[in-house]
């Protein structure tokens, strides 16, 4: 223990007898500490409020409040509960000593006291208190360091996953606009749902923030789909469609590998639900599991609506872009079939705020818009 550090500490001394205050103050000085003698509990409270002591010596029998009661008050206050309290009292019955320890005191010295006994008790418990405080400070520093390193690791994994998602999307959409639109629209719909009575307890700010990021990984499994299928102009054959539908399984396998290394990462956990289930349909006709209604995770139900909307209004090598109005019409017609009616309802109420790319009017035939195949699976 650093002796210079101990010299800077102060000790509060509480006793209503002046001679006791003088003797205890001398002992505290002999220990190289600063004594702060007070004769009443009221003054002791003011002294503690002005500056926290590192140790308290207190009598028990006092007119305003007993030392037992004062000790209990100290232990109830988060600011003073760790300050060691030593009783110095003329009460020397086993019951009094036991009661003092139960109140939270670290030692009980009976009067008349031996000077060296008081001096040793002060030094011992002050050193222990300083060691405890230093340990807490070091533990806090260590906790902050570990938390920072874990955040860095999580950020690195998240950035790696998002880079893979962007790479997969770049094969299908060279503008990179799809991921941006999808994440912002997921946030919009989730926020809208959170304001309804049905979802106000299920959707909070953490849910919304995580969904905004996790949604970008919905099609990470497209990395496993050959270009001849992913970029094929025109309709897919039955076999090609079956291969295309496997991007949900491939996506989950990729994300499970990341999640296995960091199971505390809620972002990846949500991304797994989105990647695997975002092609499930409300009526059970979707894939890969044929889930229906609320068996489909909420994040995947939100993603299904958002992803379909952006696919309809976006131009691809295998399809033209349709108008925003047409997209809303198609999605509304699939309410209760492909999509959760609650989410469709929210989308229709917030449709003016939906993000989408610029539609190329030269390619979008607004008079004879082709029928959008909602089962095509390439969105």
């Amino acid at each position: 223990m650093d002796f210079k550090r101990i010299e800077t500490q102060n000790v509060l001394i509480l006793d209503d007898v002046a001679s006791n205050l003088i003797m205890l103050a001398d002992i505290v000085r002999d220990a190289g500490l600063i004594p702060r003698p007070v004769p009443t509990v009221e003054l002791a409270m003011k002294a503690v409020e002005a500056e926290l002591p590192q140790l308290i010596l207190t009598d028990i029998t006092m007119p305003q409040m007993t030392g037992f009661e004062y000790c209990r008050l100290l232990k109830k206050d988060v600011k003073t509960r760790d300050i060691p309290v030593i009783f110095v009292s003329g009460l020397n019955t086993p019951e009094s000593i036991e009661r003092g320890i139960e109140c939270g005191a670290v030692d009980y010295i009976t009067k008349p006291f031996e000077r060296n006994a008081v001096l040793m008790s002060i030094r011992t418990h002050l050193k222990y208190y300083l060691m405890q405080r230093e340990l807490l400070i070091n533990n806090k520093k260590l906790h902050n360091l570990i938390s920072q390193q874990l955040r860095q690791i999580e950020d690195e994994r998240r950035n790696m996953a998002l880079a893979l998602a962007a790479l997969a999307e770049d094969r299908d959409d060279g503008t990179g606009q799809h991921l941006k639109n999808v994440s912002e629209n997921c946030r919009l719909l989730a926020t809208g749902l959170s304001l309804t009575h049905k979802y106000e307890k299920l959707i909070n700010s953490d849910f919304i923030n995580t969904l905004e990021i996790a949604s970008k990984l919905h099609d990470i499994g497209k990395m496993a789909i050959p270009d001849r299928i992913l970029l094929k102009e025109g309709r897919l054959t039955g076999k090609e469609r079956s291969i295309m539908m496997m991007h949900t399984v491939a996506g989950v396998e990729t994300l499970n590998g990341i999640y296995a290394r960091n199971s505390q990462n809620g972002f990846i956990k949500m991304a797994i639900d989105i990647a695997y289930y975002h092609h499930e349909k409300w009526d059970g006709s979707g894939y890969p599991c044929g889930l229906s209604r609320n068996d489909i995770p909420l994040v995947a139900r939100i993603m299904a609506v958002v992803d379909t909307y952006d696919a309809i209004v976006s131009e691809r090598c295998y399809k033209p872009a349709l108008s925003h109005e047409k997209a809303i019409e198609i999605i509304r017609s699939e309410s209760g079939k492909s999509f959760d009616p609650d989410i469709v309802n929210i989308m229709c109420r917030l449709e003016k705020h939906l993000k989408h790319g610029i539609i190329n009017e030269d390619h979008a035939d607004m008079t004879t818009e082709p029928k959008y195949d909602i089962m095509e699976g390439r969105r």
Side-chain angles (χ1 to χ4, degrees):
M1 181 61 59
D2 188 345
F3 182 70
K4 290 182 178 179
R5 184 175 181 181
I6 295 178
E7 284 184 333
T8 64
Q9 310 306 313
N10 72 88
V11 177
L12 182 70
I13 307 169
L14 172 60
D15 199 309
D16 61 335
V17 179
S19 59
N20 289 335
L21 286 178
I22 294 171
M23 284 189 291
L24 290 172
D26 283 342
I27 296 173
V28 169
R29 288 191 191 93
D30 284 349
L33 308 170
I34 301 172
R36 296 171 63 195
V38 291
T40 66
V41 172
E42 181 181 1
L43 290 175
M45 290 178 175
K46 290 180 179 179
V48 170
E49 186 67 27
E51 182 182 356
L52 288 177
Q54 279 65 55
L55 189 141
I56 296 175
L57 299 174
T58 180
D59 190 16
I60 292 176
T61 306
M62 293 177 289
Q64 288 180 313
M65 181 185 295
T66 68
F68 296 139
E69 292 170 328
Y70 181 52
C71 185
R72 289 194 187 96
L73 286 178
L74 291 169
K75 297 306 172 182
K76 287 180 180 179
D77 191 332
V78 66
K79 294 185 297 185
T80 58
R81 65 187 180 191
D82 294 326
I83 299 174
V85 175
I86 299 174
F87 283 121
V88 183
S89 173
L91 299 176
N92 59 3
T93 64
E95 292 79 14
S96 297
I97 297 173
E98 181 179 354
R99 188 178 176 187
I101 301 303
E102 287 177 352
C103 288
V106 296
D107 203 354
Y108 192 108
I109 299 172
T110 58
K111 299 175 183 177
F113 50 79
E114 290 287 337
R115 187 181 188 89
N116 287 337
V118 177
L119 187 61
M120 183 178 297
S121 180
I122 290 173
R123 284 177 170 168
T124 298
H125 292 295
L126 183 57
K127 286 181 180 180
Y128 180 74
Y129 168 72
L130 294 176
M131 289 172 62
Q132 286 277 75
R133 191 172 64 178
E134 189 171 352
L135 180 61
L136 288 173
I137 292 172
N138 289 337
N139 283 343
K140 186 175 182 179
K141 289 180 179 178
L142 181 60
H143 175 76
N144 290 338
L145 178 61
I146 293 173
S147 297
Q148 182 181 3
Q149 290 176 338
L150 288 176
R151 284 195 298 270
Q152 289 176 347
I153 292 172
E154 184 173 340
D155 287 344
E156 288 172 1
R157 288 177 174 163
R158 182 184 67 184
N159 292 336
M160 186 190 315
L162 291 177
L164 287 173
L167 186 61
E169 189 59 34
D170 189 57
R171 298 172 63 211
D172 194 27
D173 173 22
T175 68
Q177 188 67 35
H178 176 62
L179 292 183
K180 185 174 185 298
N181 292 344
V182 161
S183 64
E184 292 186 19
N185 288 338
C186 278
R187 182 180 189 87
L188 176 69
L189 296 195
T191 301
L193 287 170
S194 71
L195 300 177
T196 65
H197 178 71
K198 184 175 181 179
Y199 291 99
E200 62 183 355
K201 293 182 179 179
L202 295 175
I203 301 177
N204 55 24
S205 59
D206 286 341
F207 178 100
I208 295 170
N209 292 334
T210 304
L211 173 60
E212 184 175 16
I213 300 172
S215 62
K216 294 184 178 182
L217 297 170
H218 67 287
D219 274 343
I220 194 172
K222 284 184 177 180
M223 289 290 293
I225 306 302
D227 284 350
R228 62 181 175 82
I229 296 175
L230 185 64
L231 303 179
K232 179 182 177 180
E233 296 185 11
R235 296 180 61 84
L236 300 177
T237 66
K239 183 177 180 179
E240 288 170 339
R241 178 174 290 183
S242 295
I243 294 173
M244 185 68 211
M245 290 165 66
M246 289 301 294
H247 78 278
T248 56
V249 177
V252 165
E253 289 175 352
T254 299
L255 294 172
N256 275 336
I258 299 174
Y259 186 66
R261 298 182 186 92
N262 186 9
S263 60
Q264 302 302 315
N265 195 325
F267 149 70
I268 297 296
K269 175 80 167 61
M270 184 180 286
I272 289 172
D273 283 343
I274 293 173
Y276 195 44
Y277 299 114
H278 73 284
H279 281 286
E280 301 288 354
K281 299 191 182 301
W282 186 253
D283 62 6
S285 63
Y287 66 89
C289 300
L291 300 182
S292 64
R293 303 177 72 85
N294 291 329
D295 288 338
I296 307 169
L298 176 59
V299 289
R301 305 201 307 265
I302 295 172
M303 187 70 224
V305 177
V306 168
D307 192 28
T308 298
Y309 169 79
D310 199 69
I312 295 173
V313 299
S314 300
E315 182 179 349
R316 296 289 185 269
C317 65
Y318 46 82
K319 62 169 284 295
L322 304 187
S323 66
H324 164 80
E325 291 74 19
K326 185 64 176 179
I328 295 299
E329 178 187 331
I330 292 171
I331 289 172
R332 185 182 285 115
S333 70
E334 290 293 323
S335 177
K337 299 181 222 176
S338 294
F339 307 124
D340 182 339
D342 290 336
I343 299 173
V344 173
N345 181 50
I346 290 294
M347 170 174 266
C348 291
R349 289 167 59 184
L350 300 175
E351 64 169 288
K352 293 182 180 179
H353 303 285
L354 291 169
K355 303 294 182 182
H356 56 77
I358 299 174
I359 298 174
N360 189 329
E361 299 293 345
D362 293 336
H363 294 172
D365 185 346
M366 307 302 289
T367 58
T368 58
E369 289 178 330
K371 181 179 179 182
Y372 179 76
D373 184 356
I374 207 160
M375 285 297 293
E376 179 67 15
R378 281 197 280 180
R379 67 172 196 266

